[in-house]
Amino acid sequence: MLNPWRLRLLSRLDTLGTIRAVASASNLSASSVSQQLAVLETETRTKLLERTGRHVRLTPAGLILARRARAILDHMDTVEAELRGLGDEPAGLVRLGAFQSAVHTLAVPAVTRLAAAHPDLQVEVLQLEPHESMPALRVGDADLIITTTDFVEQPLDPDVDLVPLATDPIVLVMPPEHPATRRGAVDLAAFADEAWSLDLPQSYMANLTLRLCRQSGFEPRAVCRFSNYMLALQHVEAGLSITLLPGLAVDPRYRVTTRELASPVTRTITAAVRRGSPQRAAVQVVLDALRRNPPVSAGVPDA
């Protein structure tokens, strides 16, 4: 009999590519992952892995089983939820991945409403940036994600269904006393000599900021890097830097000024679910809650 846990490890190997990455994602040692996959080969009486130098890769049979495993695991989750709720009421666990600014503007409000309407439903919110959420969805670590289709470094997976939720402008965020606060829309080229706050390397906003600044003819001088938007806002509020942020990330509790860009940039906020998996009532009700109440951007430029 196939072991669901080992199937998930095999599916993760197909998505993540290395035993080490699977071990890290599963909180296991690399040797434990290798041992469990060897047991799976014994259970299936099939060669699933082959060595290429110091690495392993899936055989054709391993690829087939890894990709079938996702559907198998989805069906098991569906059956478990139906048994718990007898199919009449959304029930069970839904893992919702969301990038940082969507957590407090989209995910938390939706979960709050669902808690009152569906007491047997448990929604686990996971903070996952766009480069993390799509792999998590593919391997089954998330049932539903809030992401952006504009993250070009993370190609969209053809095996997911996308549901548009909202659009969000990218704005320049400055200290309130900055001279540019008296202007309307701004040209980034005018800020080439400024000190910049950037997100961590290879994140969505770090890559977008670099791309937009380079298109304007300069390399931003980074004086700090934060993975947390609140820290970036605090740094800007103190007059130590300027930054680019999505409108949803601009918390009104911070004393900062925002300006639209002369060449407007927006991101599309999208929900994504795995295509072809049976749509559990619990996942569908979370998706419906996200669609019914689109966020209102806090980053509307000041008058």
Side-chain angles (χ1 to χ4, degrees):
M1 182 177 296
L2 295 176
N3 182 289
W5 180 53
R6 296 186 188 111
L7 287 177
R8 192 174 298 280
L9 292 178
L10 187 71
S11 177
R12 284 178 171 170
L13 181 59
D14 180 32
T15 299
L16 302 177
T18 67
I19 294 288
R20 186 180 299 276
V22 174
S24 176
S26 307
N27 293 317
L28 297 170
S29 67
S31 61
S32 294
V33 172
S34 296
Q35 290 169 6
Q36 292 303 317
L37 293 176
V39 172
L40 184 59
E41 286 188 311
T42 301
E43 291 175 338
T44 59
R45 300 191 181 97
T46 305
K47 185 174 178 59
L48 303 174
L49 307 174
E50 59 185 4
R51 287 208 164 269
T52 56
R54 298 172 59 186
H55 302 285
V56 298
R57 67 181 181 188
L58 296 176
T59 64
L63 284 170
I64 291 173
L65 182 58
R67 292 166 188 181
R68 295 288 188 187
R70 293 171 194 158
I72 293 170
L73 295 166
D74 284 338
H75 277 288
M76 292 180 67
D77 289 342
T78 300
V79 171
E80 182 181 355
E82 287 177 349
L83 290 175
R84 188 179 296 119
L86 298 178
D88 296 328
E89 171 69 17
L93 174 66
V94 174
R95 292 156 299 180
L96 171 61
F99 52 81
Q100 186 182 153
S101 58
V103 169
H104 67 275
T105 57
L106 265 169
V108 170
V111 172
T112 301
R113 294 189 299 271
L114 289 168
H118 303 286
D120 294 326
L121 177 66
Q122 178 188 351
V123 183
E124 179 182 347
V125 179
L126 312 169
Q127 182 184 325
L128 297 172
E129 295 306 308
H131 66 285
E132 302 168 316
S133 59
M134 195 63 73
L137 182 67
R138 288 202 305 267
V139 301
D141 287 342
D143 303 299
L144 169 68
I145 61 172
I146 304 171
T147 187
T148 173
T149 56
D150 308 311
F151 188 64
V152 295
E153 290 80 2
Q154 182 66 50
L156 293 176
D157 194 307
D159 295 327
V160 302
D161 286 321
L162 302 176
V163 179
L165 298 177
T167 58
D168 190 24
I170 303 300
V171 295
L172 183 66
V173 187
M174 301 171 290
E177 65 278 4
H178 194 287
T181 59
R182 293 187 292 273
R183 308 175 194 165
V186 295
D187 184 344
L188 283 184
F191 298 87
D193 296 328
E194 298 277 353
W196 285 78
S197 173
L198 299 183
D199 206 327
L200 298 185
Q202 301 307 313
S203 64
Y204 169 73
M205 278 309 304
N207 289 348
L208 178 60
T209 299
L210 288 175
R211 186 163 65 250
L212 293 178
C213 290
R214 287 167 181 170
Q215 288 172 358
S216 298
F218 70 96
E219 191 76 15
R221 178 170 60 89
V223 296
C224 58
R225 285 186 178 270
F226 299 119
S227 64
N228 187 301
Y229 290 154
M230 304 305 172
L231 295 177
L233 288 167
Q234 185 178 20
H235 201 266
V236 172
E237 182 183 48
L240 300 174
S241 64
I242 65 173
T243 192
L244 287 175
L245 287 180
L248 288 179
V250 183
D251 191 315
R253 291 175 297 180
Y254 291 86
R255 191 169 165 267
V256 296
T257 299
T258 60
R259 282 288 175 265
E260 289 181 325
L261 304 182
S263 299
V265 178
T266 60
R267 63 175 179 173
T268 302
I269 301 174
T270 306
V273 294
R274 289 188 297 279
R275 178 176 297 160
S277 63
Q279 192 68 289
R280 289 193 287 140
V283 174
Q284 186 61 52
V285 78
V286 176
L287 180 58
D288 290 343
L290 294 172
R291 295 176 67 182
R292 279 197 301 269
N293 295 89
V296 177
S297 173
V300 177
D302 300 298

